């Protein structure tokens, strides 16, 4: 499936650095699938707003955007004095870090960038800026390798012809190439697995309908769009062999925050004995957050529920609205957490530690 310019949506980069023009180029995801519009972000305010309005969204893509963003903002700090540079860097970093609270990849990427400043404080500011560029580029390159490794482990959990259900968009549009939850699907497609995928539409912002269904359909995957309240039906019918979802933050005990509605899918999957897998780059695992109860859940504006995607408002004026962007799936509903270092199984407190041990040993 191609756009009017002859390109497939998968041919575009989700987030790209245009260093020459001091800009980040993103696809404005709020316009998909109707229009593929590339936009350029230059100022801190433009970057903040693009993340807040979900023009760029999905935990890994938010992390990459923040890394490019802080690099570009740092590049424009006009001083040779390290202390003055670092003070301004911290100010810009905190500003970007404030935009969305749940996806840990945002602060993870910004902290990695800050580490570069701290470790190289003796260096000339101009050279430090170059190191920041390299770090931001490697955060993006790592994302591609990490998602591919998650895809390989995920693929070992399913077989050709299987039905797979996914929620929200943890696809290429949420990352840089394979996505996380979609990585086993894309790798399987390349290898002739012919999965049958069910994409939840994902109210209220329709990331499943607008993004997941679009990117999978565009790449030739057999994908069926369902409303969020249909997952029990497709599972009861025996059409789903596994659920793969992404995540925004995994607590140390395995509790997982992901798009609102994920925990409902997990509960339904348990009822119908369908394995429920969370695909999680280690960048999304937050060992400093003990349990899901410690994860801050972003609250979003009312109009996203009452009118955003409707031709006319569909709820009474003045109605009370509850609009959390994410929910926490309790670890006992999760069959496995698929990382780039292998698959963690319950008890997660121990198995996630083992995953980080492998990471420290650089075992991939
Ligand atoms: O609000 P969004 O669209 O940023 O939410 C995205 C999700 O919940 C994804 O599942 C998660 O970030 C993982 S993306 C690989």
């Amino acid at each position: 499936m191609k756009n009017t310019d002859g390109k497939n949506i998968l041919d575009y980069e989700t987030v790209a650095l245009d260093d020459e023009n001091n800009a980040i180029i993103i696809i404005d995801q709020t316009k998909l699938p109707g229009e593929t519009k590339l936009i350029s972000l230059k100022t801190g305010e433009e970057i903040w707003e693009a993340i807040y309005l979900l023009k760029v969204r999905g935990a890994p893509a938010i992390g990459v955007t923040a890394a490019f963003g802080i690099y570009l903002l740092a590049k424009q700090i006009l001083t040779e004095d390290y202390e003055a540079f670092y003070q301004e860097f911290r100010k810009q970093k905190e500003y970007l870090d404030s935009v969305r609270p749940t996806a840990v990849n945002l602060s993870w990427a910004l902290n990695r960038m800050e580490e570069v400043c701290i470790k190289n404080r003796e260096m000339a500011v101009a050279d430090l800026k170059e190191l920041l560029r390299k770090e931001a580029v490697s955060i993006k390159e790592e994302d591609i390798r990490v998602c591919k490794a998650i895809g390989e482990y995920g693929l070992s959990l399913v077989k050709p012809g299987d039905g797979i259900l996914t929620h929200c968009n943890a696809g290429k549009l949420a990352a840089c190439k394979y996505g996380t939850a979609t990585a086993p699907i894309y790798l399987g497609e390349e290898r002739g697995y012919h999965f049958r995928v069910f994409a939840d539409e994902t109210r209220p912002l329709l990331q499943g309908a607008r993004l997941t269904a679009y990117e999978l359909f565009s790449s030739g995957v057999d994908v069926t769009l369902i409303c969020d309240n249909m997952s029990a039906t497709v599972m009861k019918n025996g059409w789903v062999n596994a659920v793969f979802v992404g995540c925004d933050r995994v607590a140390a005990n395995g509790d997982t925050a992901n798009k609102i509605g994920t925990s409902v899918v997990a509960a339904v999957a348990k009822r119908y004995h369908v394995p429920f897998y969370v695909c999680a780059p280690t960048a999304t695992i937050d060992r400093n957050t003990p349990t899901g109860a410690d994860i801050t859940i972003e609250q979003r504006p009312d109009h996203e529920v009452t009118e955003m995607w409707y031709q006319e408002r569909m709820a009474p004026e003045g109605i009370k609205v509850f609009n959390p962007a994410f929910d926490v799936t309790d670890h006992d509903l999760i069959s496995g957490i698929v990382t780039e270092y292998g698959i963690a199984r319950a008890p997660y407190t121990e198995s996630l530690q083992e995953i980080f041990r492998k990471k420290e040993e650089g075992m991939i």
Side-chain angles (χ1 to χ4, degrees):
M1 190 177 157
K2 296 199 189 283
N3 280 322
T4 41
D5 61 2
K7 278 168 97 176
N8 185 299
I9 188 63
L10 295 148
D11 296 333
Y12 296 90
E13 287 195 79
T14 308
V15 186
L17 175 67
D18 177 1
D19 207 4
E20 226 168 277
N21 293 305
N22 290 330
I24 305 172
I25 309 295
I26 58 162
I27 308 167
D28 180 351
Q29 298 194 24
T30 60
K31 301 257 185 292
L32 294 175
E35 184 190 354
T36 306
K37 186 177 174 201
L38 299 185
I39 54 173
S40 147
L41 313 172
K42 290 192 167 179
T43 65
E45 289 72 21
E46 284 170 352
I47 297 164
W48 195 98
E49 195 197 60
I51 297 175
Y52 183 71
L53 295 177
L54 313 188
K55 291 180 180 186
V56 57
R57 28 68 51 206
I62 292 172
V64 173
T65 306
F68 283 158
I70 195 68
Y71 158 62
L72 290 177
L73 297 174
K75 195 177 155 189
Q76 288 161 68
I77 303 173
L78 300 174
T79 175
E80 289 304 312
D81 175 61
Y82 174 84
E83 278 313 320
F85 171 82
Y86 181 59
Q87 286 313 316
E88 184 57 22
F89 178 96
R90 287 272 319 167
K91 209 168 93 196
Q92 303 284 6
K93 179 200 166 207
E94 273 162 33
Y95 174 62
L96 292 183
D97 207 6
S98 69
V99 56
R100 297 190 76 191
T102 308
V104 69
N105 304 58
L106 175 63
S107 43
W108 170 85
L110 290 169
N111 287 340
R112 255 181 78 163
M113 296 294 283
E114 185 178 6
E115 274 294 289
V116 172
C117 292
I118 294 171
K119 281 196 185 139
N120 298 287
R121 53 185 311 128
E122 307 305 335
M123 198 175 260
V125 169
D127 297 337
L128 185 52
K129 289 178 181 173
E130 176 53 18
L131 284 189
L132 286 169
R133 188 190 65 77
K134 285 193 175 139
E135 187 71 1
V137 169
S138 57
I139 287 174
K140 177 174 174 178
E141 287 170 354
E142 267 173 46
D143 174 76
I144 298 173
R145 289 198 301 275
V146 161
C147 287
K148 181 145 195 252
I150 287 174
E152 294 291 356
Y153 284 115
L155 201 55
S156 73
L157 298 166
V158 280
K159 41 182 206 327
D162 271 358
I164 294 175
L165 186 141
T166 189
H167 188 75
C168 193
N169 175 265
K172 196 221 158 176
L173 289 164
C176 294
K177 188 162 179 193
Y178 300 94
T180 59
T182 54
I185 299 170
Y186 284 126
L187 292 184
E189 192 62 21
E190 279 169 22
R191 296 170 201 178
Y193 273 52
H194 302 302
F195 295 127
R196 292 165 293 105
V197 180
F198 294 91
D200 282 356
E201 66 175 349
T202 317
R203 279 281 294 154
L205 294 174
L206 306 178
Q207 289 94 331
R210 296 186 302 106
L211 309 176
T212 304
Y214 181 45
E215 64 164 87
L216 292 179
F217 187 51
S218 300
S219 66
V221 172
D222 174 348
V223 55
T224 303
L225 175 64
I226 59 171
C227 298
D228 296 331
N229 51 10
M230 297 172 187
S231 58
T233 298
V234 293
M235 289 196 220
K236 194 170 184 177
N237 285 352
W239 295 345
V240 180
N241 303 91
V243 176
F244 285 110
V245 294
C247 54
D248 286 80
R249 192 181 295 247
V250 179
N253 72 343
D255 291 348
T256 292
N258 190 46
K259 180 51 57 196
I260 190 74
T262 303
S263 67
V264 180
V265 177
V268 172
K270 183 142 186 148
R271 170 68 182 84
Y272 293 110
H273 311 290
V274 175
F276 178 93
Y277 298 112
V278 170
C279 296
T282 49
T284 315
I285 302 172
D286 180 5
R287 289 182 292 172
N288 296 322
T289 296
T291 73
D294 305 296
I295 299 175
T296 304
I297 300 293
E298 175 186 8
Q299 297 293 324
R300 306 261 323 161
D302 295 4
H303 76 269
E304 293 180 346
V305 174
T306 53
E307 56 210 277
M308 191 163 175
W309 302 103
Y310 297 121
Q311 211 146 22
E312 52 186 274
R313 189 184 165 96
M314 279 296 139
E317 290 290 350
I319 195 74
K320 274 199 286 181
V321 174
F322 178 50
N323 184 15
F326 302 97
D327 63 19
V328 172
T329 301
D330 299 325
H331 57 84
D332 61 316
L333 295 176
I334 298 172
S335 314
I337 299 179
V338 186
T339 79
E340 72 272 29
Y341 291 94
I343 303 165
R345 304 270 188 182
Y348 290 107
T349 310
E350 287 78 26
S351 61
L352 289 177
Q353 270 174 16
E354 177 60 18
I355 292 290
F356 278 93
R357 199 189 55 75
K358 285 189 187 161
K359 183 174 181 167
E360 272 144 33
E361 286 175 7
M363 283 168 71
I364 64 165

